[in-house]
Amino acid sequence: MVAIIDASITRFGKRKESLLELAGEVALPLIGKYEIDFVVVSNSYSGEFNSLSGINNLITTYLSVDKVPSIRVDNTSGSGGSAILVAKSLLDSKITKTVLVLGVEKMSEKNTKQVTSVIASLLSPEEKIVGLTLPSLAGLMTKEYMRRYNASREAFALVAVKNHYNGSLNPFAHIQKVVSLEEVLNSPIIADPLTLYEFTPISDGASAIVMVRDEDAYSFTKKPVFIKGMGASSDTSYLSEREDILTMNAVRIAGLTARKMAKVDKVDFAELHDMATVLEIVEAEELGLLKKGEGWKAYYDDYTKINGEMPINTSGGLNSKGHPIGASGIAQAVEAFLQIRNQAGSRQVRNARVGLSLSMAGFGNSATVIIYGDEP
Amino acid sequence: MVAIIDASITRFGKRKESLLELAGEVALPLIGKYEIDFVVVSNSYSGEFNSLSGINNLITTYLSVDKVPSIRVDNTSGSGGSAILVAKSLLDSKITKTVLVLGVEKMSEKNTKQVTSVIASLLSPEEKIVGLTLPSLAGLMTKEYMRRYNASREAFALVAVKNHYNGSLNPFAHIQKVVSLEEVLNSPIIADPLTLYEFTPISDGASAIVMVRDEDAYSFTKKPVFIKGMGASSDTSYLSEREDILTMNAVRIAGLTARKMAKVDKVDFAELHDMATVLEIVEAEELGLLKKGEGWKAYYDDYTKINGEMPINTSGGLNSKGHPIGASGIAQAVEAFLQIRNQAGSRQVRNARVGLSLSMAGFGNSATVIIYGDEP
Ligand SMILES: [Ca+2]
């Protein structure tokens, strides 16, 4: 298997820097320290947002490592997990020794309406025509969860309260602000019943990790973070065809595959894809982190908080840290790297030895689960 | 290493079918025959040309293999070679057993001016501003080649004559028309001295191969085509920074790496990236297929023709077969598959046991060389 030997992240948010400058901010310090022999760029919308193509080559040129081969890996919001899977494969195949995986997205060159329209381009053409959007699906999912499990409306808002609190402890998070339950409930409704604070903002940002094979890891650092298991799965893009709006097959299968490979039952923390608050709950249930149909109850006490039994989204998650599309999955790996190395500062989970991340495209169209640990 | 066990291609050209329909045309027959467990989509501009994102998921949904994980690999014109490198790595890493690599691009939804502008988005922003384009570079390269090596103007046109002849024998080629030397020389000048017939047209199309590990190959077919070697390299995107316009470092290094891995000196045929005629000559020289500075002379006799000593672009090449960006690199593998299996019909090379392909981005910004053979 493979290991992460270093990591870097920019402040997420509305940034004045260009896509190439953001990439440079995370990558230049790493390029200087290691002999990188392949660059995997995780990015989804450089064409649509920035009128750039071939950005993997533009980035290696910008970093002055012209001769290092590179590719762009795209899987929309789940690009980061896919890029890490590709990097792991390139290392396993012995084609490369030291891979830089760089996630970057510069979204704020377009306005909210344009960004929403671009992201909706991942929906099936037929469903886009009838006005389906990812936020509207999150609203429908929330209503069905509440109905089926007799869940409270507040539980979902409490996800946002927790994640905003966690994000306030993360110097790289977009929204560095604590919000109260009342503030979440009283913010404008985006997709009934979910409100503004329950959705991820539009962010710029970049994140990077350096990956090597297990056997090389200790020659670079005393504390590598190992990738113990990975799973990737997929589900129909036709959301109206899903058997059940509360079932996320790709997430469940990717999670089972990763756990089986990693041979771990218990994880000490998890970074999930909380594009909307409801998703954190449903994903945690599909991944076996919370009990099916009862996940919402966990948000009434400390269970998912940093000091709880199953800390979720200690980084602030997409909800508060932000979601620069291609950078998000790599940012999850950065958080796992910091937590397992005991470098997460005021949001440090005690005894964080094994972590899990879920990188996801669309509404579970594609899912990659990674399990990280302090040993191979 | 790995092997190709099956292949499929659509007719290239202006097609009425959508991107998903073109993908279906190549992939549905293959999906029905094999238990595909990963889909790597080679595509560069679905956002810009078709207002679609997440096309890997849209394609698996369209193919009714919803649960098969997938990603999109992009490296502009060199996406195909990169996608094959990723598929090989996924197989080597044992994550997958049977990978469908599917190249597709639907370009004709935009007009020529729009397509040219989108493709120019791979140039460095500074160079784009001063009006540099890929065709203009090809013109400059031709003039410098003629000056330095005392080459004739006709030699470049003879590349187009040969490739159009080869394309006329390929039922999947875009331009199924033989052209004479006079017709090439008298067609409109695009980038002095190169004319219309010396550049690749704008095409729609799809191509696909099924890849497995070496040891599994004979359980699927009596005649697998093995990937014996691969090399990937890169060069600066700042074309004005290149030491010499006639030197393509990425091509040369990728070629040396692939040959070393494959342990072969002589190849029986090659598919090169003839976006413009001059590139076929310069690439062939960098790859050691033709002698440096004397490659142009080879076009005055049969040397590079189907029945010659070193057949180049038997498929018609980008020049006549067409260049649907993401589909091109996979189409080269399809041609290698057919040639080595002795299934190339009227364009069959005699004793085609070892082949080479060069998939390239921009003007040598990125290069992937693959060596194919009838044994591992
Ligand atoms: Ca279906």
PDB file of all heavy atoms in Angstrom, chain A residues 45 47-48 53 56-57 61 66 72 74-75 92-93 121 234 237-238 365, chain B residues 45 47-48 53 56-57 61 66 72 74-75 92-93 121 234 237-238 365:
ATOM      1  N   TYR A  45     -13.548  21.906 -12.992  1.00  0.00           N
ATOM      2  CA  TYR A  45     -14.212  22.927 -13.798  1.00  0.00           C
ATOM      3  C   TYR A  45     -13.297  24.061 -14.242  1.00  0.00           C
ATOM      4  O   TYR A  45     -13.746  25.202 -14.351  1.00  0.00           O
ATOM      5  CB  TYR A  45     -15.410  23.476 -13.013  1.00  0.00           C
ATOM      6  CG  TYR A  45     -16.532  22.479 -12.784  1.00  0.00           C
ATOM      7  CD1 TYR A  45     -16.827  21.988 -11.508  1.00  0.00           C
ATOM      8  CD2 TYR A  45     -17.312  22.024 -13.847  1.00  0.00           C
ATOM      9  CE1 TYR A  45     -17.865  21.080 -11.291  1.00  0.00           C
ATOM     10  CE2 TYR A  45     -18.346  21.122 -13.646  1.00  0.00           C
ATOM     11  CZ  TYR A  45     -18.628  20.659 -12.366  1.00  0.00           C
ATOM     12  OH  TYR A  45     -19.651  19.771 -12.166  1.00  0.00           O
ATOM     13  N   GLY A  47     -12.202  24.658 -17.113  1.00  0.00           N
ATOM     14  CA  GLY A  47     -12.715  25.180 -18.382  1.00  0.00           C
ATOM     15  C   GLY A  47     -13.900  26.099 -18.147  1.00  0.00           C
ATOM     16  O   GLY A  47     -13.930  27.241 -18.605  1.00  0.00           O
ATOM     17  N   GLU A  48     -14.871  25.602 -17.392  1.00  0.00           N
ATOM     18  CA  GLU A  48     -16.099  26.354 -17.165  1.00  0.00           C
ATOM     19  C   GLU A  48     -15.863  27.594 -16.300  1.00  0.00           C
ATOM     20  O   GLU A  48     -16.425  28.655 -16.547  1.00  0.00           O
ATOM     21  CB  GLU A  48     -17.150  25.463 -16.492  1.00  0.00           C
ATOM     22  CG  GLU A  48     -17.676  24.337 -17.386  1.00  0.00           C
ATOM     23  CD  GLU A  48     -16.887  23.039 -17.235  1.00  0.00           C
ATOM     24  OE1 GLU A  48     -15.656  23.093 -17.013  1.00  0.00           O
ATOM     25  OE2 GLU A  48     -17.511  21.963 -17.330  1.00  0.00           O
ATOM     26  N   SER A  53      -7.602  25.126 -20.001  1.00  0.00           N
ATOM     27  CA  SER A  53      -7.541  23.672 -20.134  1.00  0.00           C
ATOM     28  C   SER A  53      -6.085  23.248 -20.041  1.00  0.00           C
ATOM     29  O   SER A  53      -5.185  24.088 -20.001  1.00  0.00           O
ATOM     30  CB  SER A  53      -8.178  23.208 -21.448  1.00  0.00           C
ATOM     31  OG  SER A  53      -7.436  23.659 -22.565  1.00  0.00           O
ATOM     32  N   ASN A  56      -3.040  20.742 -15.762  1.00  0.00           N
ATOM     33  CA  ASN A  56      -1.951  19.955 -15.178  1.00  0.00           C
ATOM     34  C   ASN A  56      -0.606  20.407 -15.754  1.00  0.00           C
ATOM     35  O   ASN A  56       0.362  20.588 -15.018  1.00  0.00           O
ATOM     36  CB  ASN A  56      -2.183  18.457 -15.397  1.00  0.00           C
ATOM     37  CG  ASN A  56      -2.504  18.097 -16.831  1.00  0.00           C
ATOM     38  OD1 ASN A  56      -3.466  18.621 -17.403  1.00  0.00           O
ATOM     39  ND2 ASN A  56      -1.719  17.228 -17.432  1.00  0.00           N
ATOM     40  N   ASN A  57      -0.566  20.650 -17.062  1.00  0.00           N
ATOM     41  CA  ASN A  57       0.665  21.146 -17.686  1.00  0.00           C
ATOM     42  C   ASN A  57       0.950  22.593 -17.314  1.00  0.00           C
ATOM     43  O   ASN A  57       2.097  22.976 -17.096  1.00  0.00           O
ATOM     44  CB  ASN A  57       0.566  21.036 -19.214  1.00  0.00           C
ATOM     45  CG  ASN A  57       1.167  19.750 -19.742  1.00  0.00           C
ATOM     46  OD1 ASN A  57       0.584  19.096 -20.573  1.00  0.00           O
ATOM     47  ND2 ASN A  57       2.333  19.368 -19.241  1.00  0.00           N
ATOM     48  N   THR A  61       4.338  23.714 -15.278  1.00  0.00           N
ATOM     49  CA  THR A  61       5.146  24.818 -15.814  1.00  0.00           C
ATOM     50  C   THR A  61       5.264  25.928 -14.769  1.00  0.00           C
ATOM     51  O   THR A  61       6.356  26.431 -14.504  1.00  0.00           O
ATOM     52  CB  THR A  61       4.506  25.366 -17.107  1.00  0.00           C
ATOM     53  OG1 THR A  61       4.482  24.324 -18.085  1.00  0.00           O
ATOM     54  CG2 THR A  61       5.300  26.538 -17.659  1.00  0.00           C
ATOM     55  N   ASP A  66       8.750  21.360 -15.255  1.00  0.00           N
ATOM     56  CA  ASP A  66       8.224  21.124 -16.604  1.00  0.00           C
ATOM     57  C   ASP A  66       8.264  19.672 -17.033  1.00  0.00           C
ATOM     58  O   ASP A  66       7.404  19.211 -17.769  1.00  0.00           O
ATOM     59  CB  ASP A  66       9.072  21.877 -17.641  1.00  0.00           C
ATOM     60  CG  ASP A  66       9.143  23.358 -17.367  1.00  0.00           C
ATOM     61  OD1 ASP A  66       8.186  23.884 -16.775  1.00  0.00           O
ATOM     62  OD2 ASP A  66      10.158  23.968 -17.750  1.00  0.00           O
ATOM     63  N   ARG A  72      -4.843  15.375 -15.327  1.00  0.00           N
ATOM     64  CA  ARG A  72      -5.962  15.892 -14.543  1.00  0.00           C
ATOM     65  C   ARG A  72      -6.964  14.758 -14.348  1.00  0.00           C
ATOM     66  O   ARG A  72      -7.309  14.077 -15.305  1.00  0.00           O
ATOM     67  CB  ARG A  72      -6.647  17.058 -15.266  1.00  0.00           C
ATOM     68  CG  ARG A  72      -7.809  17.637 -14.452  1.00  0.00           C
ATOM     69  CD  ARG A  72      -8.335  18.946 -15.047  1.00  0.00           C
ATOM     70  NE  ARG A  72      -9.152  18.749 -16.213  1.00  0.00           N
ATOM     71  CZ  ARG A  72     -10.376  19.298 -16.386  1.00  0.00           C
ATOM     72  NH1 ARG A  72     -10.904  20.094 -15.463  1.00  0.00           N
ATOM     73  NH2 ARG A  72     -11.036  19.072 -17.495  1.00  0.00           N
ATOM     74  N   ASP A  74     -10.776  13.962 -12.968  1.00  0.00           N
ATOM     75  CA  ASP A  74     -12.037  14.656 -12.683  1.00  0.00           C
ATOM     76  C   ASP A  74     -13.121  13.646 -12.335  1.00  0.00           C
ATOM     77  O   ASP A  74     -13.270  12.620 -12.996  1.00  0.00           O
ATOM     78  CB  ASP A  74     -12.458  15.452 -13.925  1.00  0.00           C
ATOM     79  CG  ASP A  74     -13.887  15.942 -13.849  1.00  0.00           C
ATOM     80  OD1 ASP A  74     -14.347  16.283 -12.738  1.00  0.00           O
ATOM     81  OD2 ASP A  74     -14.556  15.960 -14.900  1.00  0.00           O
ATOM     82  N   ASN A  75     -13.817  13.942 -11.276  1.00  0.00           N
ATOM     83  CA  ASN A  75     -15.019  13.186 -10.924  1.00  0.00           C
ATOM     84  C   ASN A  75     -15.949  14.132 -10.186  1.00  0.00           C
ATOM     85  O   ASN A  75     -16.464  13.796  -9.119  1.00  0.00           O
ATOM     86  CB  ASN A  75     -14.639  11.974 -10.069  1.00  0.00           C
ATOM     87  CG  ASN A  75     -15.665  10.863 -10.161  1.00  0.00           C
ATOM     88  OD1 ASN A  75     -16.756  11.069 -10.709  1.00  0.00           O
ATOM     89  ND2 ASN A  75     -15.350   9.714  -9.623  1.00  0.00           N
ATOM     90  N   ASP A  92       1.597   1.844  -6.824  1.00  0.00           N
ATOM     91  CA  ASP A  92       1.557   0.378  -6.815  1.00  0.00           C
ATOM     92  C   ASP A  92       2.188  -0.203  -8.066  1.00  0.00           C
ATOM     93  O   ASP A  92       2.855  -1.234  -8.027  1.00  0.00           O
ATOM     94  CB  ASP A  92       0.102  -0.119  -6.744  1.00  0.00           C
ATOM     95  CG  ASP A  92      -0.504   0.042  -5.359  1.00  0.00           C
ATOM     96  OD1 ASP A  92       0.251   0.256  -4.389  1.00  0.00           O
ATOM     97  OD2 ASP A  92      -1.750  -0.044  -5.251  1.00  0.00           O
ATOM     98  N   SER A  93       1.951   0.449  -9.196  1.00  0.00           N
ATOM     99  CA  SER A  93       2.433  -0.091 -10.477  1.00  0.00           C
ATOM    100  C   SER A  93       3.921   0.169 -10.670  1.00  0.00           C
ATOM    101  O   SER A  93       4.472  -0.232 -11.692  1.00  0.00           O
ATOM    102  CB  SER A  93       1.656   0.534 -11.629  1.00  0.00           C
ATOM    103  OG  SER A  93       2.161   1.830 -11.874  1.00  0.00           O
ATOM    104  N   SER A 121     -24.685  20.765 -14.561  1.00  0.00           N
ATOM    105  CA  SER A 121     -24.359  20.052 -15.799  1.00  0.00           C
ATOM    106  C   SER A 121     -23.971  18.602 -15.546  1.00  0.00           C
ATOM    107  O   SER A 121     -23.778  17.839 -16.476  1.00  0.00           O
ATOM    108  CB  SER A 121     -23.240  20.774 -16.578  1.00  0.00           C
ATOM    109  OG  SER A 121     -21.993  20.679 -15.908  1.00  0.00           O
ATOM    110  N   SER A 234     -20.114   3.392  -7.432  1.00  0.00           N
ATOM    111  CA  SER A 234     -20.868   4.301  -8.278  1.00  0.00           C
ATOM    112  C   SER A 234     -22.354   3.985  -8.173  1.00  0.00           C
ATOM    113  O   SER A 234     -22.743   2.921  -7.698  1.00  0.00           O
ATOM    114  CB  SER A 234     -20.370   4.125  -9.715  1.00  0.00           C
ATOM    115  OG  SER A 234     -21.018   4.983 -10.589  1.00  0.00           O
ATOM    116  N   SER A 237     -26.762   8.031 -12.330  1.00  0.00           N
ATOM    117  CA  SER A 237     -26.867   9.489 -12.370  1.00  0.00           C
ATOM    118  C   SER A 237     -28.334   9.919 -12.469  1.00  0.00           C
ATOM    119  O   SER A 237     -28.647  11.082 -12.266  1.00  0.00           O
ATOM    120  CB  SER A 237     -26.129  10.043 -13.592  1.00  0.00           C
ATOM    121  OG  SER A 237     -24.741   9.871 -13.464  1.00  0.00           O
ATOM    122  N   TYR A 238     -29.207   8.997 -12.815  1.00  0.00           N
ATOM    123  CA  TYR A 238     -30.627   9.315 -12.908  1.00  0.00           C
ATOM    124  C   TYR A 238     -31.231   9.197 -11.524  1.00  0.00           C
ATOM    125  O   TYR A 238     -31.618   8.099 -11.093  1.00  0.00           O
ATOM    126  CB  TYR A 238     -31.336   8.403 -13.902  1.00  0.00           C
ATOM    127  CG  TYR A 238     -30.908   8.648 -15.321  1.00  0.00           C
ATOM    128  CD1 TYR A 238     -29.798   8.008 -15.846  1.00  0.00           C
ATOM    129  CD2 TYR A 238     -31.595   9.557 -16.127  1.00  0.00           C
ATOM    130  CE1 TYR A 238     -29.380   8.257 -17.149  1.00  0.00           C
ATOM    131  CE2 TYR A 238     -31.191   9.806 -17.431  1.00  0.00           C
ATOM    132  CZ  TYR A 238     -30.081   9.150 -17.933  1.00  0.00           C
ATOM    133  OH  TYR A 238     -29.662   9.391 -19.208  1.00  0.00           O
ATOM    134  N   ASN A 365     -23.487   9.806  -6.837  1.00  0.00           N
ATOM    135  CA  ASN A 365     -23.269   9.218  -8.163  1.00  0.00           C
ATOM    136  C   ASN A 365     -21.978   8.409  -8.166  1.00  0.00           C
ATOM    137  O   ASN A 365     -21.831   7.434  -8.879  1.00  0.00           O
ATOM    138  CB  ASN A 365     -23.148  10.299  -9.236  1.00  0.00           C
ATOM    139  CG  ASN A 365     -24.370  11.197  -9.302  1.00  0.00           C
ATOM    140  OD1 ASN A 365     -25.205  11.176  -8.401  1.00  0.00           O
ATOM    141  ND2 ASN A 365     -24.485  11.970 -10.353  1.00  0.00           N
TER     142      ASN A 365
ATOM    143  N   TYR B  45     -13.095  18.037 -23.114  1.00  0.00           N
ATOM    144  CA  TYR B  45     -13.850  19.281 -23.230  1.00  0.00           C
ATOM    145  C   TYR B  45     -15.371  19.087 -23.172  1.00  0.00           C
ATOM    146  O   TYR B  45     -16.090  19.818 -23.847  1.00  0.00           O
ATOM    147  CB  TYR B  45     -13.451  19.984 -24.534  1.00  0.00           C
ATOM    148  CG  TYR B  45     -12.019  20.483 -24.568  1.00  0.00           C
ATOM    149  CD1 TYR B  45     -11.066  19.906 -25.409  1.00  0.00           C
ATOM    150  CD2 TYR B  45     -11.618  21.540 -23.753  1.00  0.00           C
ATOM    151  CE1 TYR B  45      -9.751  20.383 -25.451  1.00  0.00           C
ATOM    152  CE2 TYR B  45     -10.310  22.023 -23.784  1.00  0.00           C
ATOM    153  CZ  TYR B  45      -9.378  21.435 -24.637  1.00  0.00           C
ATOM    154  OH  TYR B  45      -8.084  21.904 -24.669  1.00  0.00           O
ATOM    155  N   GLY B  47     -17.332  19.891 -20.868  1.00  0.00           N
ATOM    156  CA  GLY B  47     -17.914  21.120 -20.320  1.00  0.00           C
ATOM    157  C   GLY B  47     -17.990  22.200 -21.376  1.00  0.00           C
ATOM    158  O   GLY B  47     -19.061  22.779 -21.637  1.00  0.00           O
ATOM    159  N   GLU B  48     -16.869  22.441 -22.028  1.00  0.00           N
ATOM    160  CA  GLU B  48     -16.793  23.523 -23.013  1.00  0.00           C
ATOM    161  C   GLU B  48     -17.613  23.230 -24.265  1.00  0.00           C
ATOM    162  O   GLU B  48     -18.278  24.109 -24.806  1.00  0.00           O
ATOM    163  CB  GLU B  48     -15.330  23.763 -23.410  1.00  0.00           C
ATOM    164  CG  GLU B  48     -14.464  24.342 -22.295  1.00  0.00           C
ATOM    165  CD  GLU B  48     -13.760  23.270 -21.466  1.00  0.00           C
ATOM    166  OE1 GLU B  48     -14.350  22.178 -21.240  1.00  0.00           O
ATOM    167  OE2 GLU B  48     -12.622  23.517 -21.041  1.00  0.00           O
ATOM    168  N   SER B  53     -20.926  17.820 -17.331  1.00  0.00           N
ATOM    169  CA  SER B  53     -19.830  17.448 -16.432  1.00  0.00           C
ATOM    170  C   SER B  53     -20.173  16.099 -15.817  1.00  0.00           C
ATOM    171  O   SER B  53     -21.278  15.586 -15.987  1.00  0.00           O
ATOM    172  CB  SER B  53     -19.591  18.517 -15.369  1.00  0.00           C
ATOM    173  OG  SER B  53     -20.686  18.636 -14.501  1.00  0.00           O
ATOM    174  N   ASN B  56     -18.249  10.711 -16.863  1.00  0.00           N
ATOM    175  CA  ASN B  56     -17.967   9.309 -16.548  1.00  0.00           C
ATOM    176  C   ASN B  56     -19.187   8.658 -15.894  1.00  0.00           C
ATOM    177  O   ASN B  56     -19.567   7.533 -16.236  1.00  0.00           O
ATOM    178  CB  ASN B  56     -16.716   9.182 -15.668  1.00  0.00           C
ATOM    179  CG  ASN B  56     -16.747  10.097 -14.456  1.00  0.00           C
ATOM    180  OD1 ASN B  56     -16.881  11.313 -14.598  1.00  0.00           O
ATOM    181  ND2 ASN B  56     -16.634   9.537 -13.271  1.00  0.00           N
ATOM    182  N   ASN B  57     -19.827   9.373 -14.990  1.00  0.00           N
ATOM    183  CA  ASN B  57     -21.039   8.837 -14.357  1.00  0.00           C
ATOM    184  C   ASN B  57     -22.233   8.824 -15.310  1.00  0.00           C
ATOM    185  O   ASN B  57     -23.034   7.891 -15.297  1.00  0.00           O
ATOM    186  CB  ASN B  57     -21.432   9.684 -13.138  1.00  0.00           C
ATOM    187  CG  ASN B  57     -20.867   9.127 -11.845  1.00  0.00           C
ATOM    188  OD1 ASN B  57     -20.305   9.862 -11.041  1.00  0.00           O
ATOM    189  ND2 ASN B  57     -21.001   7.829 -11.649  1.00  0.00           N
ATOM    190  N   THR B  61     -24.142   5.329 -16.370  1.00  0.00           N
ATOM    191  CA  THR B  61     -25.603   5.269 -16.266  1.00  0.00           C
ATOM    192  C   THR B  61     -26.213   4.928 -17.618  1.00  0.00           C
ATOM    193  O   THR B  61     -27.076   4.058 -17.721  1.00  0.00           O
ATOM    194  CB  THR B  61     -26.152   6.612 -15.753  1.00  0.00           C
ATOM    195  OG1 THR B  61     -25.622   6.865 -14.456  1.00  0.00           O
ATOM    196  CG2 THR B  61     -27.672   6.589 -15.679  1.00  0.00           C
ATOM    197  N   ASP B  66     -24.421   1.108 -13.726  1.00  0.00           N
ATOM    198  CA  ASP B  66     -24.435   2.172 -12.712  1.00  0.00           C
ATOM    199  C   ASP B  66     -23.418   1.963 -11.597  1.00  0.00           C
ATOM    200  O   ASP B  66     -22.880   2.913 -11.052  1.00  0.00           O
ATOM    201  CB  ASP B  66     -25.798   2.232 -12.020  1.00  0.00           C
ATOM    202  CG  ASP B  66     -26.928   2.424 -12.980  1.00  0.00           C
ATOM    203  OD1 ASP B  66     -26.686   3.012 -14.040  1.00  0.00           O
ATOM    204  OD2 ASP B  66     -28.053   1.985 -12.662  1.00  0.00           O
ATOM    205  N   ARG B  72     -12.902  10.436 -14.975  1.00  0.00           N
ATOM    206  CA  ARG B  72     -12.516  11.058 -16.240  1.00  0.00           C
ATOM    207  C   ARG B  72     -11.051  11.453 -16.137  1.00  0.00           C
ATOM    208  O   ARG B  72     -10.640  12.056 -15.145  1.00  0.00           O
ATOM    209  CB  ARG B  72     -13.365  12.301 -16.518  1.00  0.00           C
ATOM    210  CG  ARG B  72     -12.979  12.983 -17.837  1.00  0.00           C
ATOM    211  CD  ARG B  72     -13.963  14.074 -18.256  1.00  0.00           C
ATOM    212  NE  ARG B  72     -13.804  15.287 -17.495  1.00  0.00           N
ATOM    213  CZ  ARG B  72     -13.680  16.520 -18.034  1.00  0.00           C
ATOM    214  NH1 ARG B  72     -13.744  16.677 -19.345  1.00  0.00           N
ATOM    215  NH2 ARG B  72     -13.554  17.587 -17.271  1.00  0.00           N
ATOM    216  N   ASP B  74      -8.068  13.584 -18.045  1.00  0.00           N
ATOM    217  CA  ASP B  74      -7.915  14.639 -19.050  1.00  0.00           C
ATOM    218  C   ASP B  74      -6.462  15.049 -19.158  1.00  0.00           C
ATOM    219  O   ASP B  74      -5.771  15.239 -18.149  1.00  0.00           O
ATOM    220  CB  ASP B  74      -8.763  15.845 -18.633  1.00  0.00           C
ATOM    221  CG  ASP B  74      -8.416  17.096 -19.412  1.00  0.00           C
ATOM    222  OD1 ASP B  74      -8.098  16.972 -20.607  1.00  0.00           O
ATOM    223  OD2 ASP B  74      -8.463  18.199 -18.832  1.00  0.00           O
ATOM    224  N   ASN B  75      -6.002  15.145 -20.364  1.00  0.00           N
ATOM    225  CA  ASN B  75      -4.680  15.711 -20.649  1.00  0.00           C
ATOM    226  C   ASN B  75      -4.741  16.342 -22.030  1.00  0.00           C
ATOM    227  O   ASN B  75      -3.869  16.122 -22.870  1.00  0.00           O
ATOM    228  CB  ASN B  75      -3.606  14.623 -20.568  1.00  0.00           C
ATOM    229  CG  ASN B  75      -2.244  15.196 -20.261  1.00  0.00           C
ATOM    230  OD1 ASN B  75      -2.054  16.408 -20.271  1.00  0.00           O
ATOM    231  ND2 ASN B  75      -1.291  14.333 -19.988  1.00  0.00           N
ATOM    232  N   ASP B  92      -2.409  -2.976 -12.450  1.00  0.00           N
ATOM    233  CA  ASP B  92      -1.201  -3.366 -11.710  1.00  0.00           C
ATOM    234  C   ASP B  92      -1.467  -3.378 -10.203  1.00  0.00           C
ATOM    235  O   ASP B  92      -0.944  -4.228  -9.487  1.00  0.00           O
ATOM    236  CB  ASP B  92      -0.060  -2.370 -11.980  1.00  0.00           C
ATOM    237  CG  ASP B  92       0.577  -2.550 -13.345  1.00  0.00           C
ATOM    238  OD1 ASP B  92       0.360  -3.613 -13.966  1.00  0.00           O
ATOM    239  OD2 ASP B  92       1.284  -1.633 -13.795  1.00  0.00           O
ATOM    240  N   SER B  93      -2.246  -2.408  -9.739  1.00  0.00           N
ATOM    241  CA  SER B  93      -2.470  -2.279  -8.295  1.00  0.00           C
ATOM    242  C   SER B  93      -3.472  -3.303  -7.775  1.00  0.00           C
ATOM    243  O   SER B  93      -3.750  -3.332  -6.588  1.00  0.00           O
ATOM    244  CB  SER B  93      -2.969  -0.879  -7.969  1.00  0.00           C
ATOM    245  OG  SER B  93      -4.338  -0.797  -8.283  1.00  0.00           O
ATOM    246  N   SER B 121      -7.191  27.526 -24.967  1.00  0.00           N
ATOM    247  CA  SER B 121      -7.190  27.717 -23.508  1.00  0.00           C
ATOM    248  C   SER B 121      -6.131  26.861 -22.829  1.00  0.00           C
ATOM    249  O   SER B 121      -5.903  26.989 -21.629  1.00  0.00           O
ATOM    250  CB  SER B 121      -8.574  27.426 -22.910  1.00  0.00           C
ATOM    251  OG  SER B 121      -8.890  26.050 -22.974  1.00  0.00           O
ATOM    252  N   SER B 234       6.865  15.251 -19.939  1.00  0.00           N
ATOM    253  CA  SER B 234       6.231  16.554 -20.016  1.00  0.00           C
ATOM    254  C   SER B 234       7.252  17.603 -20.411  1.00  0.00           C
ATOM    255  O   SER B 234       8.463  17.363 -20.378  1.00  0.00           O
ATOM    256  CB  SER B 234       5.655  16.854 -18.636  1.00  0.00           C
ATOM    257  OG  SER B 234       4.979  18.075 -18.628  1.00  0.00           O
ATOM    258  N   SER B 237       4.803  24.480 -20.740  1.00  0.00           N
ATOM    259  CA  SER B 237       3.672  24.991 -21.505  1.00  0.00           C
ATOM    260  C   SER B 237       4.015  26.323 -22.153  1.00  0.00           C
ATOM    261  O   SER B 237       3.306  26.793 -23.039  1.00  0.00           O
ATOM    262  CB  SER B 237       2.459  25.191 -20.589  1.00  0.00           C
ATOM    263  OG  SER B 237       1.960  23.964 -20.133  1.00  0.00           O
ATOM    264  N   TYR B 238       5.088  26.953 -21.683  1.00  0.00           N
ATOM    265  CA  TYR B 238       5.499  28.238 -22.258  1.00  0.00           C
ATOM    266  C   TYR B 238       6.355  27.959 -23.485  1.00  0.00           C
ATOM    267  O   TYR B 238       7.550  27.728 -23.389  1.00  0.00           O
ATOM    268  CB  TYR B 238       6.268  29.065 -21.227  1.00  0.00           C
ATOM    269  CG  TYR B 238       5.392  29.542 -20.103  1.00  0.00           C
ATOM    270  CD1 TYR B 238       5.161  28.736 -19.003  1.00  0.00           C
ATOM    271  CD2 TYR B 238       4.770  30.788 -20.160  1.00  0.00           C
ATOM    272  CE1 TYR B 238       4.338  29.156 -17.975  1.00  0.00           C
ATOM    273  CE2 TYR B 238       3.946  31.221 -19.135  1.00  0.00           C
ATOM    274  CZ  TYR B 238       3.734  30.402 -18.049  1.00  0.00           C
ATOM    275  OH  TYR B 238       2.916  30.811 -17.041  1.00  0.00           O
ATOM    276  N   ASN B 365       3.571  19.442 -24.907  1.00  0.00           N
ATOM    277  CA  ASN B 365       3.495  19.793 -23.482  1.00  0.00           C
ATOM    278  C   ASN B 365       3.498  18.532 -22.635  1.00  0.00           C
ATOM    279  O   ASN B 365       3.963  18.524 -21.505  1.00  0.00           O
ATOM    280  CB  ASN B 365       2.203  20.565 -23.166  1.00  0.00           C
ATOM    281  CG  ASN B 365       2.062  21.831 -23.978  1.00  0.00           C
ATOM    282  OD1 ASN B 365       2.786  22.031 -24.945  1.00  0.00           O
ATOM    283  ND2 ASN B 365       1.146  22.693 -23.576  1.00  0.00           N
TER     284      ASN B 365
END
